PDB file of all heavy atoms in Angstrom:
ATOM      1  N   ASP S1018       5.929   5.220 -11.700  1.00 95.00           N
ATOM      2  CA  ASP S1018       5.575   3.822 -11.839  1.00 95.00           C
ATOM      3  C   ASP S1018       4.613   3.442 -10.756  1.00 95.00           C
ATOM      4  O   ASP S1018       4.709   3.922  -9.580  1.00 95.00           O
ATOM      5  CB  ASP S1018       6.787   2.955 -11.751  1.00 95.00           C
ATOM      6  CG  ASP S1018       7.751   3.025 -12.897  1.00 95.00           C
ATOM      7  OD1 ASP S1018       7.393   3.699 -13.923  1.00 95.00           O
ATOM      8  OD2 ASP S1018       8.866   2.467 -12.799  1.00 95.00           O
ATOM      9  N   SER S1019       3.619   2.596 -11.089  1.00 94.00           N
ATOM     10  CA  SER S1019       2.686   2.141 -10.098  1.00 94.00           C
ATOM     11  C   SER S1019       2.295   0.677 -10.340  1.00 94.00           C
ATOM     12  O   SER S1019       2.488   0.144 -11.426  1.00 94.00           O
ATOM     13  CB  SER S1019       1.431   3.008 -10.040  1.00 94.00           C
ATOM     14  OG  SER S1019       0.692   2.894 -11.274  1.00 94.00           O
ATOM     15  N   VAL S1020       1.781   0.071  -9.287  1.00 96.00           N
ATOM     16  CA  VAL S1020       1.398  -1.316  -9.379  1.00 96.00           C
ATOM     17  C   VAL S1020       0.198  -1.517  -8.472  1.00 96.00           C
ATOM     18  O   VAL S1020       0.064  -0.901  -7.436  1.00 96.00           O
ATOM     19  CB  VAL S1020       2.572  -2.286  -9.001  1.00 96.00           C
ATOM     20  CG1 VAL S1020       2.967  -2.125  -7.568  1.00 96.00           C
ATOM     21  CG2 VAL S1020       2.224  -3.704  -9.323  1.00 96.00           C
ATOM     22  N   SER S1021      -0.715  -2.430  -8.885  1.00 94.00           N
ATOM     23  CA  SER S1021      -1.891  -2.775  -8.057  1.00 94.00           C
ATOM     24  C   SER S1021      -1.673  -4.151  -7.486  1.00 94.00           C
ATOM     25  O   SER S1021      -1.005  -4.978  -8.028  1.00 94.00           O
ATOM     26  CB  SER S1021      -3.163  -2.726  -8.915  1.00 94.00           C
ATOM     27  OG  SER S1021      -3.405  -1.405  -9.288  1.00 94.00           O
ATOM     28  N   THR S1022      -2.297  -4.381  -6.350  1.00 95.00           N
ATOM     29  CA  THR S1022      -2.099  -5.664  -5.651  1.00 95.00           C
ATOM     30  C   THR S1022      -3.293  -5.971  -4.738  1.00 95.00           C
ATOM     31  O   THR S1022      -4.118  -5.051  -4.472  1.00 95.00           O
ATOM     32  CB  THR S1022      -0.783  -5.646  -4.874  1.00 95.00           C
ATOM     33  OG1 THR S1022      -0.558  -6.959  -4.357  1.00 95.00           O
ATOM     34  CG2 THR S1022      -0.847  -4.629  -3.723  1.00 95.00           C
ATOM     35  N   GLU S1023      -3.381  -7.192  -4.348  1.00 96.00           N
ATOM     36  CA  GLU S1023      -4.391  -7.634  -3.346  1.00 96.00           C
ATOM     37  C   GLU S1023      -3.652  -8.397  -2.243  1.00 96.00           C
ATOM     38  O   GLU S1023      -2.692  -9.195  -2.566  1.00 96.00           O
ATOM     39  CB  GLU S1023      -5.443  -8.519  -3.936  1.00 96.00           C
ATOM     40  CG  GLU S1023      -6.341  -7.850  -4.898  1.00 96.00           C
ATOM     41  CD  GLU S1023      -7.495  -8.711  -5.432  1.00 96.00           C
ATOM     42  OE1 GLU S1023      -7.998  -9.583  -4.646  1.00 96.00           O
ATOM     43  OE2 GLU S1023      -7.825  -8.572  -6.617  1.00 96.00           O
ATOM     44  N   TYR S1024      -4.091  -8.202  -1.042  1.00 97.00           N
ATOM     45  CA  TYR S1024      -3.513  -8.919   0.090  1.00 97.00           C
ATOM     46  C   TYR S1024      -4.496  -8.898   1.249  1.00 97.00           C
ATOM     47  O   TYR S1024      -5.492  -8.197   1.188  1.00 97.00           O
ATOM     48  CB  TYR S1024      -2.096  -8.362   0.506  1.00 97.00           C
ATOM     49  CG  TYR S1024      -2.072  -6.946   0.803  1.00 97.00           C
ATOM     50  CD1 TYR S1024      -2.105  -6.451   2.125  1.00 97.00           C
ATOM     51  CD2 TYR S1024      -1.941  -5.997  -0.201  1.00 97.00           C
ATOM     52  CE1 TYR S1024      -2.052  -5.114   2.397  1.00 97.00           C
ATOM     53  CE2 TYR S1024      -1.874  -4.664   0.079  1.00 97.00           C
ATOM     54  CZ  TYR S1024      -1.923  -4.189   1.388  1.00 97.00           C
ATOM     55  OH  TYR S1024      -1.853  -2.861   1.672  1.00 97.00           O
ATOM     56  N   SER S1025      -4.149  -9.701   2.255  1.00 97.00           N
ATOM     57  CA  SER S1025      -5.065  -9.771   3.454  1.00 97.00           C
ATOM     58  C   SER S1025      -4.211  -9.444   4.698  1.00 97.00           C
ATOM     59  O   SER S1025      -3.035  -9.609   4.737  1.00 97.00           O
ATOM     60  CB  SER S1025      -5.587 -11.136   3.585  1.00 97.00           C
ATOM     61  OG  SER S1025      -6.382 -11.479   2.429  1.00 97.00           O
ATOM     62  N   VAL S1026      -4.952  -8.962   5.724  1.00 97.00           N
ATOM     63  CA  VAL S1026      -4.332  -8.655   7.018  1.00 97.00           C
ATOM     64  C   VAL S1026      -5.177  -9.255   8.091  1.00 97.00           C
ATOM     65  O   VAL S1026      -6.415  -9.474   7.907  1.00 97.00           O
ATOM     66  CB  VAL S1026      -4.234  -7.105   7.269  1.00 97.00           C
ATOM     67  CG1 VAL S1026      -3.277  -6.461   6.256  1.00 97.00           C
ATOM     68  CG2 VAL S1026      -5.569  -6.439   7.296  1.00 97.00           C
ATOM     69  N   ARG S1027      -4.545  -9.604   9.157  1.00 97.00           N
ATOM     70  CA  ARG S1027      -5.224 -10.139  10.368  1.00 97.00           C
ATOM     71  C   ARG S1027      -5.017  -9.128  11.556  1.00 97.00           C
ATOM     72  O   ARG S1027      -3.870  -8.928  11.901  1.00 97.00           O
ATOM     73  CB  ARG S1027      -4.714 -11.535  10.756  1.00 97.00           C
ATOM     74  CG  ARG S1027      -5.492 -12.137  11.923  1.00 97.00           C
ATOM     75  CD  ARG S1027      -4.923 -13.503  12.393  1.00 97.00           C
ATOM     76  NE  ARG S1027      -4.594 -14.350  11.252  1.00 97.00           N
ATOM     77  CZ  ARG S1027      -5.447 -15.228  10.671  1.00 97.00           C
ATOM     78  NH1 ARG S1027      -6.694 -15.270  11.080  1.00 97.00           N
ATOM     79  NH2 ARG S1027      -5.047 -15.968   9.707  1.00 97.00           N
ATOM     80  N   HIS S1028      -6.096  -8.588  11.998  1.00 97.00           N
ATOM     81  CA  HIS S1028      -6.040  -7.686  13.187  1.00 97.00           C
ATOM     82  C   HIS S1028      -5.720  -8.500  14.406  1.00 97.00           C
ATOM     83  O   HIS S1028      -5.840  -9.679  14.490  1.00 97.00           O
ATOM     84  CB  HIS S1028      -7.382  -6.956  13.355  1.00 97.00           C
ATOM     85  CG  HIS S1028      -7.640  -5.927  12.261  1.00 97.00           C
ATOM     86  ND1 HIS S1028      -8.645  -5.036  12.311  1.00 97.00           N
ATOM     87  CD2 HIS S1028      -7.041  -5.705  11.053  1.00 97.00           C
ATOM     88  CE1 HIS S1028      -8.642  -4.309  11.268  1.00 97.00           C
ATOM     89  NE2 HIS S1028      -7.700  -4.687  10.433  1.00 97.00           N
ATOM     90  N   ALA S1029      -5.310  -7.768  15.488  1.00 95.00           N
ATOM     91  CA  ALA S1029      -4.969  -8.412  16.730  1.00 95.00           C
ATOM     92  C   ALA S1029      -6.154  -9.176  17.339  1.00 95.00           C
ATOM     93  O   ALA S1029      -5.936 -10.269  18.007  1.00 95.00           O
ATOM     94  CB  ALA S1029      -4.527  -7.313  17.729  1.00 95.00           C
ATOM     95  N   ASP S1030      -7.374  -8.816  17.049  1.00 96.00           N
ATOM     96  CA  ASP S1030      -8.549  -9.499  17.544  1.00 96.00           C
ATOM     97  C   ASP S1030      -8.935 -10.687  16.702  1.00 96.00           C
ATOM     98  O   ASP S1030      -9.963 -11.314  16.905  1.00 96.00           O
ATOM     99  CB  ASP S1030      -9.699  -8.564  17.746  1.00 96.00           C
ATOM    100  CG  ASP S1030     -10.234  -7.966  16.448  1.00 96.00           C
ATOM    101  OD1 ASP S1030      -9.694  -8.321  15.338  1.00 96.00           O
ATOM    102  OD2 ASP S1030     -11.145  -7.122  16.473  1.00 96.00           O
ATOM    103  N   GLY S1031      -8.140 -10.940  15.638  1.00 96.00           N
ATOM    104  CA  GLY S1031      -8.413 -12.060  14.768  1.00 96.00           C
ATOM    105  C   GLY S1031      -9.170 -11.775  13.529  1.00 96.00           C
ATOM    106  O   GLY S1031      -9.289 -12.564  12.619  1.00 96.00           O
ATOM    107  N   GLU S1032      -9.753 -10.549  13.450  1.00 96.00           N
ATOM    108  CA  GLU S1032     -10.541 -10.136  12.246  1.00 96.00           C
ATOM    109  C   GLU S1032      -9.611 -10.111  11.025  1.00 96.00           C
ATOM    110  O   GLU S1032      -8.531  -9.632  11.048  1.00 96.00           O
ATOM    111  CB  GLU S1032     -11.172  -8.755  12.533  1.00 96.00           C
ATOM    112  CG  GLU S1032     -11.976  -8.267  11.334  1.00 96.00           C
ATOM    113  CD  GLU S1032     -12.558  -6.865  11.542  1.00 96.00           C
ATOM    114  OE1 GLU S1032     -12.282  -6.233  12.563  1.00 96.00           O
ATOM    115  OE2 GLU S1032     -13.254  -6.413  10.603  1.00 96.00           O
ATOM    116  N   ILE S1033     -10.151 -10.616   9.942  1.00 96.00           N
ATOM    117  CA  ILE S1033      -9.404 -10.656   8.655  1.00 96.00           C
ATOM    118  C   ILE S1033      -9.993  -9.615   7.720  1.00 96.00           C
ATOM    119  O   ILE S1033     -11.225  -9.531   7.561  1.00 96.00           O
ATOM    120  CB  ILE S1033      -9.396 -12.062   8.016  1.00 96.00           C
ATOM    121  CG1 ILE S1033      -8.701 -13.035   8.952  1.00 96.00           C
ATOM    122  CG2 ILE S1033      -8.864 -12.010   6.631  1.00 96.00           C
ATOM    123  CD1 ILE S1033      -8.755 -14.472   8.492  1.00 96.00           C
ATOM    124  N   ARG S1034      -9.118  -8.835   7.127  1.00 96.00           N
ATOM    125  CA  ARG S1034      -9.520  -7.817   6.128  1.00 96.00           C
ATOM    126  C   ARG S1034      -8.821  -8.133   4.810  1.00 96.00           C
ATOM    127  O   ARG S1034      -7.621  -8.478   4.779  1.00 96.00           O
ATOM    128  CB  ARG S1034      -9.131  -6.412   6.543  1.00 96.00           C
ATOM    129  CG  ARG S1034      -9.773  -5.956   7.840  1.00 96.00           C
ATOM    130  CD  ARG S1034     -11.157  -5.338   7.608  1.00 96.00           C
ATOM    131  NE  ARG S1034     -11.751  -4.793   8.793  1.00 96.00           N
ATOM    132  CZ  ARG S1034     -11.684  -3.501   9.132  1.00 96.00           C
ATOM    133  NH1 ARG S1034     -11.139  -2.626   8.320  1.00 96.00           N
ATOM    134  NH2 ARG S1034     -12.265  -3.136  10.243  1.00 96.00           N
ATOM    135  N   HIS S1035      -9.589  -7.992   3.714  1.00 96.00           N
ATOM    136  CA  HIS S1035      -9.001  -8.157   2.372  1.00 96.00           C
ATOM    137  C   HIS S1035      -8.830  -6.775   1.780  1.00 96.00           C
ATOM    138  O   HIS S1035      -9.770  -5.940   1.850  1.00 96.00           O
ATOM    139  CB  HIS S1035      -9.941  -9.041   1.504  1.00 96.00           C
ATOM    140  CG  HIS S1035     -10.118 -10.371   2.074  1.00 96.00           C
ATOM    141  ND1 HIS S1035      -9.190 -11.356   2.020  1.00 96.00           N
ATOM    142  CD2 HIS S1035     -11.157 -10.933   2.756  1.00 96.00           C
ATOM    143  CE1 HIS S1035      -9.607 -12.480   2.628  1.00 96.00           C
ATOM    144  NE2 HIS S1035     -10.853 -12.223   3.085  1.00 96.00           N
ATOM    145  N   ILE S1036      -7.643  -6.532   1.184  1.00 96.00           N
ATOM    146  CA  ILE S1036      -7.309  -5.183   0.755  1.00 96.00           C
ATOM    147  C   ILE S1036      -6.944  -5.247  -0.732  1.00 96.00           C
ATOM    148  O   ILE S1036      -6.193  -6.113  -1.164  1.00 96.00           O
ATOM    149  CB  ILE S1036      -6.112  -4.695   1.546  1.00 96.00           C
ATOM    150  CG1 ILE S1036      -6.478  -4.565   3.053  1.00 96.00           C
ATOM    151  CG2 ILE S1036      -5.605  -3.288   1.022  1.00 96.00           C
ATOM    152  CD1 ILE S1036      -5.304  -4.303   3.921  1.00 96.00           C
ATOM    153  N   ILE S1037      -7.525  -4.233  -1.432  1.00 94.00           N
ATOM    154  CA  ILE S1037      -7.012  -3.955  -2.790  1.00 94.00           C
ATOM    155  C   ILE S1037      -6.115  -2.722  -2.656  1.00 94.00           C
ATOM    156  O   ILE S1037      -6.534  -1.726  -2.021  1.00 94.00           O
ATOM    157  CB  ILE S1037      -8.149  -3.674  -3.730  1.00 94.00           C
ATOM    158  CG1 ILE S1037      -9.006  -4.910  -3.993  1.00 94.00           C
ATOM    159  CG2 ILE S1037      -7.595  -3.145  -5.086  1.00 94.00           C
ATOM    160  CD1 ILE S1037     -10.198  -4.689  -4.859  1.00 94.00           C
ATOM    161  N   GLY S1038      -4.907  -2.788  -3.155  1.00 92.00           N
ATOM    162  CA  GLY S1038      -3.989  -1.708  -2.950  1.00 92.00           C
ATOM    163  C   GLY S1038      -3.374  -1.207  -4.231  1.00 92.00           C
ATOM    164  O   GLY S1038      -3.300  -1.945  -5.219  1.00 92.00           O
ATOM    165  N   ASN S1039      -2.942   0.004  -4.208  1.00 95.00           N
ATOM    166  CA  ASN S1039      -2.163   0.586  -5.342  1.00 95.00           C
ATOM    167  C   ASN S1039      -0.917   1.243  -4.749  1.00 95.00           C
ATOM    168  O   ASN S1039      -1.067   1.987  -3.747  1.00 95.00           O
ATOM    169  CB  ASN S1039      -3.032   1.597  -6.108  1.00 95.00           C
ATOM    170  CG  ASN S1039      -2.234   2.146  -7.295  1.00 95.00           C
ATOM    171  OD1 ASN S1039      -1.540   3.095  -7.215  1.00 95.00           O
ATOM    172  ND2 ASN S1039      -2.469   1.513  -8.455  1.00 95.00           N
ATOM    173  N   ILE S1040       0.165   1.020  -5.334  1.00 96.00           N
ATOM    174  CA  ILE S1040       1.461   1.595  -4.808  1.00 96.00           C
ATOM    175  C   ILE S1040       2.036   2.374  -5.964  1.00 96.00           C
ATOM    176  O   ILE S1040       2.112   1.907  -7.103  1.00 96.00           O
ATOM    177  CB  ILE S1040       2.425   0.482  -4.350  1.00 96.00           C
ATOM    178  CG1 ILE S1040       1.752  -0.335  -3.352  1.00 96.00           C
ATOM    179  CG2 ILE S1040       3.666   1.110  -3.819  1.00 96.00           C
ATOM    180  CD1 ILE S1040       1.852  -1.853  -3.597  1.00 96.00           C
ATOM    181  N   LYS S1041       2.503   3.600  -5.673  1.00 96.00           N
ATOM    182  CA  LYS S1041       3.090   4.452  -6.641  1.00 96.00           C
ATOM    183  C   LYS S1041       4.425   4.963  -6.157  1.00 96.00           C
ATOM    184  O   LYS S1041       4.509   5.437  -4.989  1.00 96.00           O
ATOM    185  CB  LYS S1041       2.197   5.574  -7.072  1.00 96.00           C
ATOM    186  CG  LYS S1041       2.652   6.436  -8.149  1.00 96.00           C
ATOM    187  CD  LYS S1041       1.565   7.443  -8.602  1.00 96.00           C
ATOM    188  CE  LYS S1041       2.002   8.199  -9.843  1.00 96.00           C
ATOM    189  NZ  LYS S1041       0.903   9.071 -10.315  1.00 96.00           N
ATOM    190  N   LEU S1042       5.452   4.944  -6.961  1.00 96.00           N
ATOM    191  CA  LEU S1042       6.741   5.571  -6.630  1.00 96.00           C
ATOM    192  C   LEU S1042       6.659   7.064  -6.948  1.00 96.00           C
ATOM    193  O   LEU S1042       6.350   7.415  -8.073  1.00 96.00           O
ATOM    194  CB  LEU S1042       7.870   4.907  -7.397  1.00 96.00           C
ATOM    195  CG  LEU S1042       9.285   5.427  -7.102  1.00 96.00           C
ATOM    196  CD1 LEU S1042       9.673   5.279  -5.631  1.00 96.00           C
ATOM    197  CD2 LEU S1042      10.313   4.703  -7.990  1.00 96.00           C
ATOM    198  N   MET S1043       6.851   7.878  -5.938  1.00 95.00           N
ATOM    199  CA  MET S1043       6.713   9.291  -6.048  1.00 95.00           C
ATOM    200  C   MET S1043       8.087   9.965  -5.867  1.00 95.00           C
ATOM    201  O   MET S1043       8.975   9.405  -5.188  1.00 95.00           O
ATOM    202  CB  MET S1043       5.736   9.850  -5.044  1.00 95.00           C
ATOM    203  CG  MET S1043       4.366   9.216  -5.091  1.00 95.00           C
ATOM    204  SD  MET S1043       3.449   9.717  -6.504  1.00 95.00           S
ATOM    205  CE  MET S1043       3.049  11.419  -6.057  1.00 95.00           C
ATOM    206  N   GLU S1044       8.236  11.195  -6.307  1.00 95.00           N
ATOM    207  CA  GLU S1044       9.429  12.018  -6.047  1.00 95.00           C
ATOM    208  C   GLU S1044       8.995  13.447  -5.811  1.00 95.00           C
ATOM    209  O   GLU S1044       8.205  13.988  -6.571  1.00 95.00           O
ATOM    210  CB  GLU S1044      10.402  11.962  -7.179  1.00 95.00           C
ATOM    211  CG  GLU S1044      11.696  12.690  -6.895  1.00 95.00           C
ATOM    212  CD  GLU S1044      12.784  12.448  -7.900  1.00 95.00           C
ATOM    213  OE1 GLU S1044      12.557  11.714  -8.893  1.00 95.00           O
ATOM    214  OE2 GLU S1044      13.929  12.963  -7.707  1.00 95.00           O
ATOM    215  N   GLU S1045       9.456  13.982  -4.658  1.00 92.00           N
ATOM    216  CA  GLU S1045       9.133  15.361  -4.334  1.00 92.00           C
ATOM    217  C   GLU S1045      10.350  15.935  -3.734  1.00 92.00           C
ATOM    218  O   GLU S1045      10.980  15.401  -2.808  1.00 92.00           O
ATOM    219  CB  GLU S1045       8.007  15.368  -3.273  1.00 92.00           C
ATOM    220  CG  GLU S1045       6.847  16.267  -3.597  1.00 92.00           C
ATOM    221  CD  GLU S1045       5.709  16.122  -2.658  1.00 92.00           C
ATOM    222  OE1 GLU S1045       5.913  16.411  -1.454  1.00 92.00           O
ATOM    223  OE2 GLU S1045       4.635  15.716  -3.084  1.00 92.00           O
ATOM    224  N   ASN S1046      10.768  17.136  -4.183  1.00 90.00           N
ATOM    225  CA  ASN S1046      11.973  17.807  -3.666  1.00 90.00           C
ATOM    226  C   ASN S1046      13.202  16.917  -3.660  1.00 90.00           C
ATOM    227  O   ASN S1046      13.999  16.936  -2.729  1.00 90.00           O
ATOM    228  CB  ASN S1046      11.694  18.347  -2.254  1.00 90.00           C
ATOM    229  CG  ASN S1046      10.557  19.315  -2.189  1.00 90.00           C
ATOM    230  OD1 ASN S1046      10.360  20.099  -3.101  1.00 90.00           O
ATOM    231  ND2 ASN S1046       9.761  19.276  -1.125  1.00 90.00           N
ATOM    232  N   GLY S1047      13.342  16.093  -4.669  1.00 91.00           N
ATOM    233  CA  GLY S1047      14.487  15.263  -4.862  1.00 91.00           C
ATOM    234  C   GLY S1047      14.484  13.988  -4.035  1.00 91.00           C
ATOM    235  O   GLY S1047      15.363  13.168  -4.081  1.00 91.00           O
ATOM    236  N   GLU S1048      13.412  13.774  -3.221  1.00 93.00           N
ATOM    237  CA  GLU S1048      13.321  12.587  -2.373  1.00 93.00           C
ATOM    238  C   GLU S1048      12.241  11.614  -2.973  1.00 93.00           C
ATOM    239  O   GLU S1048      11.124  12.056  -3.243  1.00 93.00           O
ATOM    240  CB  GLU S1048      12.899  12.957  -0.928  1.00 93.00           C
ATOM    241  CG  GLU S1048      12.749  11.777  -0.034  1.00 93.00           C
ATOM    242  CD  GLU S1048      12.257  12.147   1.359  1.00 93.00           C
ATOM    243  OE1 GLU S1048      12.003  13.313   1.664  1.00 93.00           O
ATOM    244  OE2 GLU S1048      12.076  11.175   2.181  1.00 93.00           O
ATOM    245  N   GLN S1049      12.619  10.369  -3.117  1.00 96.00           N
ATOM    246  CA  GLN S1049      11.671   9.353  -3.576  1.00 96.00           C
ATOM    247  C   GLN S1049      11.019   8.684  -2.415  1.00 96.00           C
ATOM    248  O   GLN S1049      11.681   8.477  -1.345  1.00 96.00           O
ATOM    249  CB  GLN S1049      12.378   8.348  -4.477  1.00 96.00           C
ATOM    250  CG  GLN S1049      12.804   8.943  -5.793  1.00 96.00           C
ATOM    251  CD  GLN S1049      13.395   7.917  -6.706  1.00 96.00           C
ATOM    252  OE1 GLN S1049      13.583   6.772  -6.327  1.00 96.00           O
ATOM    253  NE2 GLN S1049      13.651   8.299  -7.976  1.00 96.00           N
ATOM    254  N   PHE S1050       9.732   8.329  -2.590  1.00 97.00           N
ATOM    255  CA  PHE S1050       9.035   7.589  -1.549  1.00 97.00           C
ATOM    256  C   PHE S1050       7.864   6.805  -2.209  1.00 97.00           C
ATOM    257  O   PHE S1050       7.552   7.067  -3.339  1.00 97.00           O
ATOM    258  CB  PHE S1050       8.485   8.577  -0.451  1.00 97.00           C
ATOM    259  CG  PHE S1050       7.558   9.643  -1.012  1.00 97.00           C
ATOM    260  CD1 PHE S1050       6.247   9.459  -1.060  1.00 97.00           C
ATOM    261  CD2 PHE S1050       8.102  10.804  -1.513  1.00 97.00           C
ATOM    262  CE1 PHE S1050       5.370  10.408  -1.560  1.00 97.00           C
ATOM    263  CE2 PHE S1050       7.252  11.791  -2.056  1.00 97.00           C
ATOM    264  CZ  PHE S1050       5.879  11.600  -2.047  1.00 97.00           C
ATOM    265  N   TYR S1051       7.297   5.901  -1.474  1.00 97.00           N
ATOM    266  CA  TYR S1051       6.164   5.147  -1.942  1.00 97.00           C
ATOM    267  C   TYR S1051       4.858   5.783  -1.391  1.00 97.00           C
ATOM    268  O   TYR S1051       4.780   6.027  -0.176  1.00 97.00           O
ATOM    269  CB  TYR S1051       6.223   3.677  -1.516  1.00 97.00           C
ATOM    270  CG  TYR S1051       7.382   2.965  -2.088  1.00 97.00           C
ATOM    271  CD1 TYR S1051       8.418   2.478  -1.307  1.00 97.00           C
ATOM    272  CD2 TYR S1051       7.438   2.632  -3.504  1.00 97.00           C
ATOM    273  CE1 TYR S1051       9.472   1.783  -1.845  1.00 97.00           C
ATOM    274  CE2 TYR S1051       8.484   1.950  -4.001  1.00 97.00           C
ATOM    275  CZ  TYR S1051       9.509   1.527  -3.207  1.00 97.00           C
ATOM    276  OH  TYR S1051      10.562   0.839  -3.767  1.00 97.00           O
ATOM    277  N   GLN S1052       3.897   5.964  -2.276  1.00 96.00           N
ATOM    278  CA  GLN S1052       2.542   6.379  -1.872  1.00 96.00           C
ATOM    279  C   GLN S1052       1.597   5.210  -2.109  1.00 96.00           C
ATOM    280  O   GLN S1052       1.613   4.651  -3.183  1.00 96.00           O
ATOM    281  CB  GLN S1052       2.116   7.600  -2.693  1.00 96.00           C
ATOM    282  CG  GLN S1052       0.774   8.129  -2.321  1.00 96.00           C
ATOM    283  CD  GLN S1052       0.458   9.390  -3.050  1.00 96.00           C
ATOM    284  OE1 GLN S1052       0.426   9.379  -4.308  1.00 96.00           O
ATOM    285  NE2 GLN S1052       0.159  10.442  -2.314  1.00 96.00           N
ATOM    286  N   ARG S1053       0.904   4.821  -1.073  1.00 96.00           N
ATOM    287  CA  ARG S1053       0.051   3.663  -1.180  1.00 96.00           C
ATOM    288  C   ARG S1053      -1.347   3.959  -0.771  1.00 96.00           C
ATOM    289  O   ARG S1053      -1.601   4.760   0.089  1.00 96.00           O
ATOM    290  CB  ARG S1053       0.583   2.572  -0.185  1.00 96.00           C
ATOM    291  CG  ARG S1053       2.007   2.148  -0.586  1.00 96.00           C
ATOM    292  CD  ARG S1053       2.665   1.255   0.418  1.00 96.00           C
ATOM    293  NE  ARG S1053       1.870   0.054   0.723  1.00 96.00           N
ATOM    294  CZ  ARG S1053       2.272  -0.830   1.588  1.00 96.00           C
ATOM    295  NH1 ARG S1053       3.413  -0.717   2.201  1.00 96.00           N
ATOM    296  NH2 ARG S1053       1.538  -1.876   1.848  1.00 96.00           N
TER     297      ARG S1053
END
């Protein structure tokens, strides 16, 4: 399963970045994790 999203971050120096992201639920060797 995967989902796309948009969000923003503010760096410590005040700089703002806009991000397009994709998140996917993965499974390897019986362990699940998120790959972003």
Side-chain angles (χ1 to χ4, degrees):
D1018 289 352
S1019 66
V1020 64
S1021 294
T1022 186
E1023 290 186 37
Y1024 55 97
S1025 299
V1026 297
R1027 183 183 316 272
H1028 291 191
D1030 65 3
E1032 180 184 2
I1033 295 174
R1034 299 273 184 101
H1035 300 285
I1036 299 169
I1037 293 177
N1039 182 275
I1040 305 130
K1041 186 172 186 175
L1042 181 59
M1043 304 287 289
E1044 185 170 2
E1045 231 173 64
N1046 300 323
E1048 179 185 0
Q1049 291 186 353
F1050 59 93
Y1051 295 112
Q1052 182 175 56
R1053 297 171 56 180

